[in-house]
Amino acid sequence: EDQVTQSPEALRLQEGESSSLNCSYTVSGLRGLFWYRQDPGKGPEFLFTLYSAGEEKEKERLKATLTKKESFLHITAPKPEDSATYLCARGIREKLTFGTGTRLTIIP
Amino acid sequence: DGGITQSPKYLFRKEGQNVTLSCEQNLNHDAMYWYRQDPGQGLRLIYYSQIVNDFQKGDIAEGYSVSREKKESFPLTVTSAQKNPTAFYLCASSITGGGNVLTFGAGSRLTVL
């Protein structure tokens, strides 16, 4: 069964304290690894897509990386506005399978 | 601006009633999806459609029905057969199915009283 596992479930950081979120998955017919940000009560917002091991993408304080069986979302010097739930998903055939997310809280 | 519009944002239903959630997109996307989100669980796929007049069951289709009569519209009906319908429902679309970025609507929160 295709599975996407995210860790930790929740993470509290001080403003400016860098860290990483993890997303691991079973590899079969991988068609992209996706990262989304979701604010409470809203729909997820697309951040990154990664397709090949070794690929990296950056956006402001976020950088996503991909290996053969996991992806990391690195957050550098986070600000309170980075607080959100971060979801990863992998593409398989015609749909995406999502992890349960990491709830990130940045404390001023 | 292009996007996905879901309505209503909040909906209350009595047990035994069917309810239909609306999803409209003006992105000219071919594929559309319905996901359900519960606390502590990932998004779970209910139904998806890659082309007009065709749709497929996702992982948790029991108790739900959909139609795709127009490219822009993909309504979801939550029937009385759905045992635990209280949840946050998300509609999404993509250019084509498989390996493409999903654009999500703002969601509809259904509460069964």
Side-chain angles (χ1 to χ4, degrees):
Chain A
E1 181 181 330
D2 297 323
Q3 282 192 331
V4 178
T5 303
Q6 291 188 248
S7 63
E9 289 186 11
L11 181 62
R12 290 171 60 89
L13 300 172
Q14 293 291 328
E15 183 174 0
E17 180 184 1
S18 301
S19 188
S20 297
L21 314 181
N22 177 263
C23 174
S24 61
Y25 48 88
T26 56
V27 184
S28 58
L30 179 66
R31 297 185 65 182
L33 188 289
F34 300 77
W35 282 99
Y36 286 83
R37 168 190 171 129
Q38 186 176 24
D39 292 303
K42 297 186 178 181
E45 177 185 343
F46 171 73
L47 292 173
F48 304 108
T49 306
L50 303 166
Y51 289 100
S52 303
E55 189 175 358
E56 298 184 353
K57 288 190 177 175
E58 290 188 64
K59 179 180 180 180
E60 296 181 354
R61 295 175 291 282
L62 300 176
K63 183 170 77 172
T65 62
L66 184 66
T67 69
K68 286 187 177 180
K69 288 193 176 183
E70 60 188 349
S71 177
F72 293 93
L73 184 64
H74 307 277
I75 302 176
T76 302
K79 298 181 178 181
E81 54 262 40
D82 294 321
S83 297
T85 296
Y86 291 86
L87 304 171
C88 77
R90 57 181 292 270
I92 177 72
R93 294 184 290 278
E94 64 282 344
K95 57 186 181 179
L96 295 189
T97 298
F98 283 83
T100 55
T102 293
R103 188 173 66 256
L104 176 65
T105 303
I106 307 301
I107 304 164
Chain B
D1 289 337
I4 297 179
T5 301
Q6 289 188 240
S7 62
K9 181 138 181 87
Y10 299 97
L11 185 61
F12 297 88
R13 187 194 94 176
K14 293 181 179 180
E15 283 191 18
Q17 290 181 335
N18 293 353
V19 62
T20 297
L21 307 180
S22 171
C23 178
E24 302 280 334
Q25 56 102 354
N26 60 3
L27 299 166
N28 199 32
H29 285 173
D30 291 309
M32 297 188 74
Y33 307 79
W34 275 104
Y35 285 88
R36 169 180 172 142
Q37 188 173 35
D38 296 281
Q41 299 195 42
L43 275 68
R44 293 182 290 167
L45 183 63
I46 304 173
Y47 268 98
Y48 62 101
S49 168
Q50 298 183 78
I51 195 170
V52 173
N53 292 324
D54 188 44
F55 48 83
Q56 288 77 41
K57 293 182 179 180
D59 301 317
I60 55 165
E62 185 176 352
Y64 300 98
S65 66
V66 293
S67 63
R68 186 87 186 276
E69 298 177 358
K70 299 186 300 181
K71 186 175 183 177
E72 302 79 17
S73 179
F74 193 41
L76 173 74
T77 297
V78 184
T79 75
S80 56
Q82 168 51 232
K83 295 180 180 179
N84 186 20
T86 294
F88 190 50
Y89 291 89
L90 287 160
C91 179
S93 69
S94 67
I95 296 174
T96 58
N100 285 293
V101 175
L102 297 184
T103 300
F104 283 88
S108 292
R109 185 168 299 279
L110 172 62
T111 302
V112 174
L113 304 174

